[in-house]
Amino acid sequence: MRVTFTANGKPVEADDVWEGESLLYVLRERVGLPGSKNACEQGECGSCTVYLDGTPVCSCLVAAGQVQDREVRTVEGLTDGEELGLVQQAFVDAGAVQCGFCTPGLLVQTDALLDRSPQPSDTDIREALSGNLCRCTGYEKIMDAVRLASARKCQKVGTSE
Ligand code: FES
Ligand code: FES
């Protein structure tokens, strides 16, 4: 079947999609967006998290046919033009990226968290990222990255008012 949807603001089309194929597979293998990672393919690790109509979802659990005419935003869509976006840069600056497999999902979840709660408590952060597993960092650098992104976002909003 053919599936058409919007990915990071651009219309995309995938042909010969078989029933049951995941959105994650379509993104990575058919439409040239390999940023979302496949670490478990069972909805357990969060590394494949993308926005679907503005809500973070595990793209490995979404059938490609379900995204027909809908909007997907991936980690590639979190950039600021040609530059890294605010959340992406904070993860780099805080040293929160090691193997990087968990990073795309963490970036999307952090972006969503800061959208609804620009100054989250540590408990808020832990809860928001509880579905995103990281085997490398021990999570402290990730906490630092989210705090840094929050501070920069608030500073940016403050200076633009
Ligand atoms: S690859 Fe989707 S949750 Fe792990
Ligand atoms: S940086 Fe390797 S799994 Fe998180």
Side-chain angles (χ1 to χ4, degrees):
M1 66 181 165
R2 170 175 292 180
V3 180
T4 55
F5 58 100
T6 303
N8 302 326
K10 294 188 186 135
V12 293
E13 197 171 273
D15 281 323
D16 301 324
V17 175
W18 53 276
E19 280 178 46
E21 194 166 301
S22 70
L23 170 60
L24 177 60
Y25 185 89
V26 169
L27 291 171
R28 290 180 53 80
E29 308 295 336
R30 295 191 185 275
V31 301
L33 291 170
S36 311
K37 295 291 177 267
N38 180 0
C40 76
E41 219 170 5
Q42 296 180 12
E44 299 285 347
C45 73
S47 66
C48 63
T49 306
V50 301
Y51 282 109
L52 178 57
D53 289 342
T55 301
V57 297
C58 289
S59 60
C60 71
L61 294 183
V62 176
Q66 289 178 280
V67 303
Q68 179 66 37
D69 299 328
R70 297 175 75 182
E71 269 185 49
V72 175
R73 190 168 166 227
T74 69
V75 65
E76 289 94 337
L78 299 185
T79 54
D80 184 2
E82 295 295 303
E83 309 288 322
L84 291 180
L86 184 147
V87 175
Q88 294 169 321
Q89 191 63 57
F91 270 67
V92 172
D93 293 345
V97 183
Q98 288 189 23
C99 81
F101 238 74
C102 65
T103 309
L106 283 164
L107 292 172
V108 173
Q109 282 292 6
T110 300
D111 186 75
L113 169 65
L114 297 184
D115 263 357
R116 62 179 185 273
S117 175
Q119 288 181 289
S121 65
D122 283 0
T123 305
D124 294 337
I125 298 171
R126 288 184 202 283
E127 190 176 321
L129 302 184
S130 60
N132 294 77
L133 304 185
C134 175
R135 289 192 287 183
C136 306
T137 63
Y139 296 98
E140 277 313 308
K141 299 279 187 193
I142 292 169
M143 294 294 292
D144 290 345
V146 181
R147 293 185 199 111
L148 181 60
S150 165
R152 286 178 178 171
K153 185 165 183 163
C154 291
Q155 192 178 29
K156 198 171 161 187
V157 171
T159 52
S160 66
E161 281 174 355

